[in-house]
Amino acid sequence: MQVDLQGRVAVVTGAAQGIGRSIAEALARNGALVTVSDVQEAKGRATAKELGLNAVFRRCDVSDAAQVRELFAAVAAEHGRIDIAVNNAGINTDKPEERVTVDQYPDETWRRILSVDLDGTFYCCKAAAAQMVKQRSGVIVNIASIAGVVPLRLQVGFVAAKAGVIRMTEAMACELGPMGVRVNCVSPGSTLVEGTRQLFYNNKELAQRLVSFIPQGRPGETDEIAAAVLYLVSDAGSYVNGHNLIVDGGWTCGFSRDF
Ligand SMILES: NC(=O)c1ccc[n+]([C@@H]2O[C@H](COP(=O)([O-])OP(=O)(O)OC[C@H]3O[C@@H](n4cnc5c(N)ncnc54)[C@H](O)[C@@H]3O)[C@@H](O)[C@H]2O)c1
């Protein structure tokens, strides 16, 4: 997919690898000046280098409000503006002792996931909005999940965080629309990244069971999530505000298995 983002200033969190990396790559390829941000310093730097002249790396732990403020202030100071913020950094857990029903769900797991997936997204939106409102322009895209649309069992923290991201996105769209700022989110379904390969897709039986829930019969590719983000941040999406764009091969549209 090709759009014109020539000279637009963009920040992508959690961009060292996975979906965030593909988003950063797509933005840079279409002309944006991209700040690749992540807690993983070496990997983040390597990613920015591979993306070429249009990308730089800045370390930031999104669960730390002060670090987030510093990140967005540094980008604004460098370029004088921020046009695009993609708040993608997120975590979940694959530990069996943390994939449990709510009565046993560890408080620590709840706090850890919420602090990155919900608090972190809030801090990033707040810092991006502060600059964008000044400019009277800008686009924010939050990466949520289908788990925030249709709850998955044994992941109550992740489900709550992502549902919060979707509602928060809508609330911010109402607030910031009059100030020239659009806020949307993308909810990926099961997408091929290192984590999901280890968890499901390297195991043929598990993989088959999982994709049997997906009408398109396969997991998503990170580029397919990046394409949705590209649409929302580009001028093609200029009248789209407060939307949750689900990219899940049809998983959440109904029951795809026979009774
Ligand atoms: N892969 C999927 O199937 C899937 C499905 C639905 C939603 N998502 C969402 O997509 C986003 C990207 O996930 P992914 O699959 O690429 O995972 P990933 O683990 O490959 O990438 C996440 C990145 O975020 C970074 N990160 C983690 N904690 C951070 C923090 N506190 N501050 C800054 N960066 C941090 C990690 O270092 C990593 O580079 C997440 O928000 C995730 O919830 C993924």
Side-chain angles (χ1 to χ4, degrees), residues 9-58:
V9 177
V11 179
V12 185
T13 66
Q17 65 181 47
I19 291 172
R21 184 198 157 102
S22 286
I23 294 168
E25 196 178 15
L27 295 175
R29 201 178 50 241
N30 284 277
L33 306 169
V34 183
T35 295
V36 169
S37 186
D38 207 287
V39 271
Q40 298 188 73
E41 184 136 11
K43 207 165 189 178
R45 282 194 192 289
T47 296
K49 202 169 164 195
E50 281 162 37
L51 298 196
L53 290 178
N54 277 4
V56 294
F57 173 75
R58 285 185 192 276

Side-chain angles (χ1 to χ4, degrees), residues 13-20 37-40 60-63 87-91 116-117 143-146 158 162 187-196 222:
T13 66
Q17 65 181 47
I19 291 172
S37 186
D38 207 287
V39 271
Q40 298 188 73
C60 173
D61 177 344
V62 299
S63 68
N87 304 317
N88 161 81
I91 57 169
V116 177
D117 294 11
I143 305 302
S145 167
I146 56 165
F158 188 69
K162 294 301 190 177
S187 283
S190 189
T191 307
L192 271 178
V193 295
E194 215 176 292
T196 52
T222 56

Side-chain angles (χ1 to χ4, degrees), residues 19-211:
I19 291 172
R21 184 198 157 102
S22 286
I23 294 168
E25 196 178 15
L27 295 175
R29 201 178 50 241
N30 284 277
L33 306 169
V34 183
T35 295
V36 169
S37 186
D38 207 287
V39 271
Q40 298 188 73
E41 184 136 11
K43 207 165 189 178
R45 282 194 192 289
T47 296
K49 202 169 164 195
E50 281 162 37
L51 298 196
L53 290 178
N54 277 4
V56 294
F57 173 75
R58 285 185 192 276
R59 189 190 180 280
C60 173
D61 177 344
V62 299
S63 68
D64 181 330
Q67 287 187 34
V68 171
R69 279 196 298 272
E70 262 172 50
L71 168 70
F72 283 87
V75 177
E78 188 183 344
H79 296 283
R81 55 187 300 107
I82 300 174
D83 301 301
I84 297 166
V86 183
N87 304 317
N88 161 81
I91 57 169
N92 198 354
T93 178
D94 54 4
K95 293 187 190 149
E97 66 274 20
E98 294 181 326
R99 291 256 177 166
V100 289
T101 51
V102 64
D103 51 305
Q104 296 163 45
Y105 199 84
D107 294 352
E108 191 281 323
T109 308
W110 171 271
R111 189 79 309 275
R112 179 160 41 85
I113 292 176
L114 271 282
S115 74
V116 177
D117 294 11
L118 188 59
D119 298 357
T121 304
F122 165 69
Y123 298 144
C124 291
C125 287
K126 185 176 171 182
Q131 175 62 32
M132 291 172 177
V133 165
K134 264 194 256 170
Q135 300 164 188
R136 311 293 289 183
S137 72
V139 193
I140 297 172
V141 177
N142 296 319
I143 305 302
S145 167
I146 56 165
V149 179
V150 179
L152 299 169
R153 279 168 47 79
L154 314 182
Q155 302 186 46
V156 71
F158 188 69
V159 165
K162 294 301 190 177
V165 168
I166 295 167
R167 283 291 169 269
M168 190 167 79
T169 299
E170 292 164 350
M172 292 184 301
C174 295
E175 292 177 358
L176 302 181
M179 302 177 203
V181 180
R182 293 189 292 114
V183 193
N184 291 290
C185 54
V186 169
S187 283
S190 189
T191 307
L192 271 178
V193 295
E194 215 176 292
T196 52
R197 277 198 178 89
Q198 275 172 26
L199 200 55
F200 311 111
Y201 295 111
N202 288 345
N203 178 326
K204 207 172 165 196
E205 202 181 310
L206 257 183
Q208 269 172 0
R209 209 169 74 208
L210 205 163
V211 300

